[in-house]
Amino acid sequence: MLCTPGQKALGQKAATLLGEHAVGIFDHAVMHVPVETANAACEFAQTARADLCVAIGGGSTTGLAKAIALRSGLPILAVPTTYAGSEMTPIWGLTEQGVKRTGRDPRVLPRTTLYDPELTLNLPATTSATSGMNALAHCVEGLYSESANPLVSLMAEEGIRALGRSLPRIVHQPDDLEARSDALYGAWLAGVTLGSVGMALHHKLCHTLGGAFNLPHAQTHTIILPHALAYNAKAVPEAAQRVARALGAEDGVQALVELITALGAPTALKDIGMPREGIERAAELATANPYYNPAPVKKDALRRLLQNAYDGRPPEPYLS
Ligand code: NAD
């Protein structure tokens, strides 16, 4: 049984329900899966002679289960309690010395996922909002992915629609079980999108910022998303239009800005622990290796994007 220290009681409850099938609880899952934590968890699973990992928690806990599965092939049963969507992807991530590596491997895709909206009722409104925006980001980038296809785009657009309508309801009334269920539906669509097609600039930037400055993952996604769409919108007008349509608005970038404001979510990297001098380093790291993005990745434009995101200023068409 894997969980974070904060969700130990939930992990223990689940282990109790499993009775003699539960051979141990490893409650040290933390954000971004540091390689040291992954090593300790693998050793724990081996010592306990586990034949299955139950990951009960958010993306960090699922990520730890994936790190174990990557090395040992142990199957995963995921019980997500946030909206990150990791449970539906074959993507793993590991952080070593400030650099986060990610990869795809079918062994890390959970064999079974149990969605229970009641388990998300304790997720604070602010975390719910940012975790849902993280999922929404998978959908947005899925729409302009290099490997985008009509079917996945349908799911991505529907994911944006579901999250766009459920997250404000959750923030307004955190015990709204129907809205919680709707958000999990959106998270599922987002996870399938992320697992099916490749991502682009937005995910690259967030992974760079998360790994290099240990920024909180979901908040970073929330802050960067409108800027990333603004960067790409001209190159992919149809995708931007679909984002707008899903959010019931005229303009996709503006609709994202308004959604984030309505959720009371953070809009500035400086407020979540980013050092000012990190802007230059992030621009360098994010342009160091080539990757797919519909608009050309230019260091000057990225620096401007990061500067705006750092200060919490509105997005602009960075490549005009
Ligand atoms: P998280 O798992 O780090 O959880 C955030 C905090 O919320 C933790 O302290 C956790 O204990 C707590 N928490 C979780 N559920 C709760 C609940 N229902 N009630 C109360 N507290 C709760 O956050 P996250 O946003 O779900 O996951 C972020 C991580 O997931 C990042 O490391 C990211 O890279 C990874 N991720 C991976 C993928 C993938 O496909 N590999 C996709 C999305 C996210």
Side-chain angles (χ1 to χ4, degrees), residues 1 20 41 59 117 128 148 163 206 255 306:
M1 183 72 60
E20 64 183 19
S128 302
L163 291 159
C206 293
L306 287 162

Side-chain angles (χ1 to χ4, degrees), residues 4 7 32 58-60 81-82 84 86 89 91 100 119 122-123 217:
T4 60
Q7 289 184 292
H32 301 311
S60 299
T81 62
T82 70
S86 173
T89 84
I91 303 169
K100 185 165 184 177
L119 295 179
N122 285 339
L123 191 63
H217 180 85

Side-chain angles (χ1 to χ4, degrees), residues 29-30 33 116-117 137 170 187 208 220 222 227 249-250 259 307:
V30 286
V33 198
D116 180 350
I170 291 171
T208 302
T220 308
T222 306
H227 296 279
E250 288 288 312
L259 176 61
Q307 187 72 56

